[in-house]
Structure formats: structure tokens, C-alpha cells
Amino acid sequence: MKKCLTDPSLNSSGLLNDEMLRPYADIIKQRLNYIKQREAYLTGTDHSLYEFADYHLFFGLHFKDGSWVFREWAPNAVSICIIGDMTEWQEKKAFSLSRKDSTGIWEKEFKKDVFVPGQHYKLKMYWKGGAGERLPTAAQRVVQDPDTLIFTAQVTDPDAVYHWHHTSPEQNSQDPVLIYESHVGMAQEQGRVGTFKAFEENVLPLIKQAGYNTVQFMAVQEHPFYGSFGYHVSSFFAVSSRFGTANEFKRLVDTAHGLGLRVLMDIVHSHAVNNENEGISCFDGTLDQFFYSGERGYHRLWDSRCFDYSKEMVVKFLLSNCRYFMETCHVDGFRFDGVTSMLFKHHGIEKAFTGYGDYFEKDDVDEDALAYLFMVNKLIHDIQPGSQTIAEDVSGFPGLAFPSDKGGIGFDFRFAMGISDYWIKLLKEYRDEHWPLRYLWFELNSRRSDEKSISYAECHDQALVGDQTLMMRLMGPAIYDAMGTDNKSIETFRGVALHKLIRFITLATAGSGYLNFMGNEFGHPEWIDFPGEHNHWSYHYARRQWSLMENQTLFYSKLAAFDRAMIALVKQYRVLNSEYPCLICHNEEDRVMVFTRKDLVFAFNFDSDTSFTDYRIGTGQGNFKMIFNTDDVEFGGHGRLTADQAHTALKDDKGEYLSLYLPTRTALVLCREHHET
């Protein structure tokens, strides 16, 4: 214990500055030592992680020095042959690969005219007792035949190099990360699959206009089932061909950079699709080439395969995947999906994480996965020092978003996932008149002080069919026929007002960033349901109805205006620069909550019936100006507050205070004025 506590990477400002972690100091030290040993083993004495992450450069089909070279990793295979347009889909000896060595690497060199860009091909692989057609593990272009629905690899043109016009926008460390979570395919209003090109032209300007500074793309990697939302990846190095080509994705990223938007990408390294013909499961005839064997290699809730991070080639494959998208597509970072499943041997299934001890059970935590997460963060930040990584972890594993040189794993941020769950709980189990504000405040601010977090009221998860968005829960069926601005019903006012309050208090209390799923900012009226047999292959619910936001006769336009204004507010006043908001008034009976952050005072009245006049709030002396209020007519409110009103703190025997008018279901923001002397 003593030795561990004196480790400079852990002590003082290190991970063990958290006293609650000190009883586990020996385990933390042991894990850090294992991570260092693991990295040293993989890189050796002469190489770096960057050099080690070369799977995409070595394997697959490459044109170099006037000829084509194809390589594949398949340890259990006994023979491999390329079949395709170039062989009339027949096995030919000239296209048979040779086994290079005992590591399972196969290769073949071909003359320049053997492969032509645009040709389709696959691998015919044989193993003891079986055979099958497979897609190359490092394929960078995969397409699906519209008639047979079969996926094949496609030869790309080595001369079709994309020429970049913009560099990645610099991110000031003091700026909040304001993420617009997006899905290219369902981003259009028409009933079809959207494209990279359409998103670039139609949606990127809307994101810029909305004020977000980061766009996060879901479902970029190729996935055979559109309805998987991109989380059942089959070809890890190929962008989904249903959206376009790799160069079209690069242009999308380039255009985003030109608009001042950074680009993050959902990357799925926690599991892979169970499919064998399209994916890498049972690639060489064995179930455990890339994945754990037995039950541990199968995620029963996701029906997918779980990677074995103890294998050198698997780590090379995954690290290279990040290097590929950063260097080839210029993405600025990644949101890592399913980190909990990676960290724990039980994948977090049916596990309630209730205390620190849950993170330090030796038989529960996958130390090889922990080492991989450490190494991938190191690699990403070495490639691009200003890059950003986000961990999606429901367990609350301490140290994930803590600096790697101080004992952490090295993610820049973690999602504050409990907040969205708590909003759903409130809407399902309580009338808003009875929301327990003290517990809401706790959940909004329940985050580790030494790790940066990103808050959100809802993300894509809550928009999926089977669940409901916040606006759908607030409005019910009235969301379809009661959203006209001429509608004066109490039900509509309630839905619109609470939608604004929920999002505003989530943003105003956020740690270091905020996320919104596209369309949710204006209360999109329908869930997401991808086409399938259950809905007769309809795209009706797999789209975004932007026209609703643009229609000034609907409250959707008012909610969009509100979202733009609140995003602009936190940017202008750098609200998220202070670590925690300070609660200065909490009255459960009045349904009032007031807090300060920097020079701003945020006052929320959640009450459904009572508008308070002369409500006293202790703020200290000074002059204040109201700079924002959710009841503004522009935001679909009743306009009960006078814009730019000024307040001077009064004084009684208890100290200085403000006397405010707090209308029902309204929030207002006051700014303390500073005068030069």
C-alpha cells in the first residue's frame, strides 16, 4: 500500500487523490504495471504504438511499386483463393494465396493489370472440415448487391486521392464540447437512406446555425443490418457504402472542418456482428480468432461477438482501425461504444454497480481490455494531440477519463449517462408537480470532480421505437395535432415549457460538455424505427422532418429557436468553465431551484400553478441584468418577463438578496454586472 501511494503517477494530483480509491491502491498499481508491460511486449524495444498499429497498411489489397499485393491473417485456414469479377467467380490457381509463415499470414503478389478499380471480389477460404466465402478483414470498400443483398469487397482506385481543403478547427481547452449526435442515413426528410453528400449539403449548415461545435457521426463503419443503428459492424475499415464512398465521407469531414465543426465518430470496438459471410466471426473457421471462446465471446443481449483483447493481432487490428480513420478520414476523435462490456468479463449484464468494490474484483475486470483502452487513447492523442475521446460507460468505472500519466486510462470525457435515465424515470413515475428536486439536483451533478463529463437530457437511445423521446412523453398523442402556435391549451404549454426546462437545466449544470441527438432539440414528433418486415420496409420513421422546425406556425420552430439561444448563452458566458454550479436556493414546496455559475444566476420555477412575485434569493450585493428567459415569446412562451430588466440587490438583517418575479414553469438567467473603477 505504502509503495503504491508514493508512486508519482498516482499520488498528489494522481488518481489516488480520491481517498475512496486508496483501499484499492495495490490493485490499481498492479493494473498500471500490467498495462505498461503489455504495451512494452507489443511494441518491443524498437517500435512505438503508432508503428505497431499497421494492420490496415499490411493486410488487404494494396497497390505499391507497380504491382498489387494482397495479404490476410487466417491462422486456421488451409487454403485461401481470391474469387471475383477478375476470375469470373471461379477458383483459379493464379489467385491462390500462399501461407507466409506459422503466424497465419497469407499473401500473393499480382501484376498491375490483374485488378481493375470497381471490380468485386471475395475470399474462398478452406479449413479442416469446412469452407466458406469471406470478406477481407482489412477491406476498405465493401458494397451490397441490391438484388442478392450479398456483400462483396470492391477494388478501389489507388489514384483517387482526396485533396483536403481545411484543417481541423482548433479546440480551446476552455470551450465546452457541444455535440450534435447524427446519423447520416436518417438525416433526410424523404423516405429513403440519406447519403454523405446530402448530409454535407443539407444538414451541416443546420448544425452550424444551431451553434454546436462538434458533430458526432453514428454508423460510419459498414454494417449489414441497417436497423442495428451501426452497432453491428462487419467491415471495420470500410465506411458504410449505403451512405456513399470513402472520398464522400472525407469531403463531409472536410466541409465540417471548413464550417468550424470538429468531427467525432462512433467507433465500435466492444463487439462485432455475429454474421460470418459479411463479418469477421468464424473468419478462418474458428470462433476464437478475433473473439473470446465460449460464453465470454458472445454478448447474449446484443447477439454479437466480443473481442479477445489478450491477442496481439486483435489489438493491432483495433488500434489500426483508429489510426486509419484519423489519418485517412481526418476525424478528430471517437466516442467509444459499449466500454462497460469491454471492461468486465460479465460484460455488465444484469450487474448493478453500487460501490467501489465492484470495480476491483479481480475475476470481474478484463485487464487486457483495460490495457487496450489505455493504449488506444495514447495512440489517438499521439497522432493528434488535440483529439478527443469519449467513453460510453454505464458502470461509473473510476479513472476512465483521468490522464494516463496520472494513473488513469486517458479518455478526455465520459458520458454522464445517469441523467437521461433519471429524466425518463421522472416522466414515467411522477407528475411534474411532484418531481423530487433534491434528487434531480443530485443526479444532474453526480460526476467525479477529477474527470470531465458530457451531459445530455436524451440521446439516440431514447428516440428509438420501444422508448419515447422526452417531447413524446410530455405531449402524448397531442404531439401530432396540438403543436400549432395558435394552440393555447394547458397541455401544449406544459409540454413546450418542460421540454425547455429539462434541456436548459441539463446544459446549465453540465460538466464539460453537452450532447443532443439530431432533431430532438426541436422536439421531433416521432421515434426512430428502421425499415423491416415488421413495418413493411417503410422509411417513414427513419428520417428527420426538418420542415417542422422551419414552420413558424408550429411550436417546433420555437423550440429550435430556444435551443440556439441556450447554446449561444453557454458559449458567450463560458458557463461550463466552472467545475460545479453552486446551489443557493432549493424550495421543494415552491418547486423553485436557484444556482450560480460564474457570474450568472439561474432561477428555475418548476411549479405548474404558482407564479411567484417578490421571490427572495440571496445573491450577495451587486447589480444584475436579466439576459435570458425561457418564457420569451420567441421561444413559445407567454412573454411574462420584460427583456433586459435590471435588478439591484437589496439588504435586510439576513444579508443581500434579489426580489424576483418567477412565472410558472419558467427559468431566467441574471448576469452580475461589473463596473470598472
Side-chain angles (χ1 to χ4, degrees):
M1 176 80 74
K2 220 178 243 187
K3 182 179 180 183
C4 203
L5 287 174
T6 57
D7 188 313
S9 70
L10 297 174
N11 210 12
S12 182
S13 61
L15 187 61
L16 292 181
N17 193 44
D18 180 351
E19 293 184 2
M20 298 291 288
L21 289 176
R22 292 186 180 181
Y24 308 101
D26 287 336
I27 299 175
I28 293 172
K29 178 68 176 297
Q30 179 270 320
R31 288 176 179 173
L32 290 174
N33 285 339
Y34 181 77
I35 288 171
K36 293 174 183 176
Q37 292 169 8
R38 182 79 174 131
E39 180 182 349
Y41 170 77
L42 293 174
T43 59
T45 56
D46 302 324
H47 297 90
S48 64
L49 275 178
Y50 180 81
E51 294 169 308
F52 175 75
D54 64 352
Y55 192 99
H56 62 295
L57 298 174
F58 186 76
F59 295 106
L61 183 64
H62 297 279
F63 186 77
K64 187 176 181 180
D65 298 329
S67 62
W68 295 93
V69 177
F70 182 87
R71 298 187 187 91
E72 189 54 270
W73 176 57
N76 190 56
V78 295
S79 70
I80 303 176
C81 185
I82 295 175
I83 58 173
D85 295 336
M86 64 291 299
T87 71
E88 298 179 328
W89 294 97
Q90 302 297 314
E91 294 181 51
K92 294 184 177 181
K93 187 175 182 180
F95 287 83
S96 293
L97 308 184
S98 300
R99 188 169 186 132
K100 184 179 179 183
D101 53 35
S102 60
T103 62
I105 296 175
W106 298 73
E107 67 178 12
K108 179 78 173 183
E109 186 172 346
F110 301 91
K111 292 182 179 180
K112 179 179 181 179
D113 59 354
V114 171
F115 293 101
V116 177
Q119 290 178 324
H120 302 86
Y121 69 100
K122 297 183 78 171
L123 303 178
K124 185 59 180 289
M125 190 172 303
Y126 291 86
W127 53 84
K128 292 181 181 179
E133 293 183 357
R134 297 289 187 263
L135 296 177
T137 59
Q140 296 180 15
R141 175 68 175 168
V142 171
V143 295
Q144 185 178 28
D145 186 280
D147 298 319
T148 66
L149 303 182
I150 294 174
F151 282 86
T152 57
Q154 190 173 35
V155 180
T156 58
D157 186 350
D159 295 325
V161 178
Y162 181 81
H163 298 286
W164 295 86
H165 298 88
H166 306 285
T167 58
S168 175
E170 290 188 12
Q171 183 78 20
N172 189 312
S173 61
Q174 299 301 310
D175 291 337
V177 179
L178 302 170
I179 300 173
Y180 201 84
E181 186 183 33
S182 306
H183 185 283
V184 167
M186 54 167 288
Q188 78 302 315
E189 189 151 351
Q190 299 75 25
R192 56 177 172 77
V193 178
T195 64
F196 295 132
K197 187 173 185 291
F199 195 100
E200 174 197 345
E201 295 174 351
N202 302 324
V203 185
L204 279 183
L206 297 178
I207 299 174
K208 175 66 175 179
Q209 180 185 11
Y212 292 84
N213 56 24
T214 304
V215 57
Q216 177 181 305
F217 287 115
M218 307 174 64
V220 173
Q221 296 168 291
E222 188 60 87
H223 48 289
F225 178 45
Y226 187 43
S228 75
F229 230 141
Y231 291 118
H232 278 186
V233 176
S234 51
S235 295
F236 282 74
F237 295 91
V239 303
S240 179
S241 59
R242 57 173 62 88
F243 306 145
T245 66
N247 275 359
E248 287 169 337
F249 178 63
K250 294 172 189 176
R251 177 170 171 167
L252 171 59
V253 174
D254 198 13
T255 302
H257 286 165
L259 291 172
L261 299 169
R262 290 171 67 83
V263 177
L264 302 182
M265 177 181 143
D266 259 12
I267 200 156
V268 186
H269 285 180
S270 50
H271 61 128
V273 71
N274 205 25
N275 303 34
E276 296 178 3
N277 291 332
E278 298 90 357
I280 58 174
S281 181
C282 201
F283 180 76
D284 67 352
T286 61
L287 287 171
D288 60 354
Q289 180 186 356
F290 284 92
F291 310 104
Y292 290 114
S293 58
E295 291 185 6
R296 191 175 166 193
Y298 177 74
H299 199 296
R300 56 183 172 83
L301 297 185
W302 297 343
D303 185 28
S304 56
R305 304 302 314 284
C306 299
F307 284 105
D308 183 347
Y309 306 98
S310 69
K311 291 189 172 182
E312 178 176 345
M313 198 65 84
V314 171
V315 175
K316 179 186 284 284
F317 176 85
L318 295 174
L319 289 176
S320 301
N321 197 214
C322 291
R323 178 182 170 185
Y324 169 78
F325 278 106
M326 293 189 74
E327 294 189 331
T328 305
C329 300
H330 289 200
V331 301
D332 302 301
F334 304 93
R335 176 256 199 195
F336 279 77
D337 175 71
V339 169
T340 307
S341 178
M342 301 171 71
L343 288 172
F344 297 95
K345 297 175 183 177
H346 50 61
H347 304 306
I349 298 175
E350 298 175 357
K351 172 69 176 179
F353 296 91
T354 58
Y356 278 82
D358 294 326
Y359 311 121
F360 299 102
E361 293 291 337
K362 184 173 178 59
D363 294 334
D364 285 352
V365 174
D366 186 338
E367 293 186 351
D368 288 305
L370 202 63
Y372 167 69
L373 291 172
F374 179 96
M375 288 186 285
V376 75
N377 273 285
K378 181 177 179 180
L379 173 68
I380 290 168
H381 292 101
D382 282 348
I383 293 174
Q384 184 177 326
S387 58
Q388 295 169 332
T389 57
I390 306 172
E392 188 231 18
D393 166 51
V394 298
S395 76
F397 195 97
L400 277 183
F402 198 73
S404 57
D405 60 348
K406 295 182 179 179
I409 300 304
F411 282 98
D412 295 287
F413 307 95
R414 64 189 313 150
F415 276 154
M417 301 184 68
I419 294 174
S420 59
D421 291 339
Y422 194 70
W423 282 123
I424 297 299
K425 176 182 174 66
L426 290 185
L427 290 173
K428 288 173 67 174
E429 300 180 8
Y430 297 87
R431 293 173 59 89
D432 60 278
E433 296 90 332
H434 301 144
W435 285 355
L437 297 184
R438 64 174 60 86
Y439 294 115
L440 171 60
W441 179 258
F442 171 80
E443 194 61 56
L444 289 170
N445 294 282
S446 180
R447 55 181 177 268
R448 296 181 61 83
S449 61
D450 56 1
E451 299 187 45
K452 293 181 178 180
S453 64
I454 293 174
S455 299
Y456 53 93
E458 55 183 343
C459 67
H460 70 274
D461 287 329
Q462 288 74 40
L464 286 168
V465 69
D467 204 338
Q468 292 183 28
T469 64
L470 295 177
M471 198 60 184
M472 292 179 72
R473 291 185 183 278
L474 289 166
M475 292 294 294
I479 199 171
Y480 296 107
D481 56 18
M483 290 295 285
T485 53
D486 58 350
N487 187 307
K488 306 302 181 184
S489 70
I490 294 175
E491 291 77 13
T492 298
F493 171 70
R494 172 187 179 271
V496 171
L498 289 180
H499 189 268
K500 291 182 289 186
L501 293 184
I502 288 171
R503 305 180 85 75
F504 190 40
I505 198 169
T506 301
L507 173 57
T509 58
S512 302
Y514 175 79
L515 176 141
N516 163 71
F517 178 69
M518 66 176 187
N520 283 3
E521 73 276 13
F522 64 86
H524 197 280
E526 292 175 343
W527 49 70
I528 301 164
D529 189 18
F530 288 96
E533 291 184 9
H534 65 288
N535 62 14
H536 306 289
W537 302 100
S538 170
Y539 287 87
H540 179 76
Y541 295 106
R543 62 194 182 110
R544 296 284 91 174
Q545 299 179 62
W546 304 107
S547 59
L548 297 175
M549 178 187 71
E550 297 163 356
N551 189 336
Q552 296 301 311
T553 67
L554 298 175
F555 276 113
Y556 299 114
S557 67
K558 307 301 182 184
L559 293 175
F562 168 76
D563 198 79
R564 288 193 295 270
M566 77 168 190
I567 292 293
L569 176 77
V570 298
K571 290 168 69 175
Q572 178 181 351
Y573 290 92
R574 295 184 176 270
V575 174
L576 305 190
N577 282 12
S578 59
E579 291 186 359
Y580 281 93
C582 177
L583 185 65
I584 61 173
C585 175
H586 164 231
N587 191 310
E588 203 77 31
E589 183 177 350
D590 292 344
R591 326 297 301 136
V592 170
M593 185 181 292
V594 185
F595 57 90
T596 60
R597 202 158 189 189
K598 300 199 74 175
D599 288 328
L600 303 185
V601 178
F602 296 82
F604 285 78
N605 178 12
F606 287 96
D607 197 88
S608 58
D609 300 313
T610 306
S611 294
F612 299 100
T613 57
D614 299 324
Y615 203 92
R616 292 192 174 192
I617 299 170
T619 57
Q621 63 182 359
N623 297 316
F624 297 81
K625 180 181 179 181
M626 190 182 75
I627 58 173
F628 186 83
N629 83 89
T630 64
D631 196 50
D632 195 308
V633 173
E634 181 185 353
F635 307 148
H638 291 325
R640 293 168 290 179
L641 289 162
T642 303
D644 300 326
Q645 58 185 255
H647 297 267
T648 298
L650 304 174
K651 186 174 183 179
D652 61 12
D653 56 351
K654 295 182 180 179
E656 292 84 3
Y657 66 91
L658 291 179
S659 180
L660 301 177
Y661 171 45
L662 302 179
T664 56
R665 290 179 174 141
T666 294
L668 58 88
V669 183
L670 304 171
C671 180
R672 185 187 299 272
E673 296 184 338
H674 296 279
H675 300 285
E676 294 183 5
T677 57

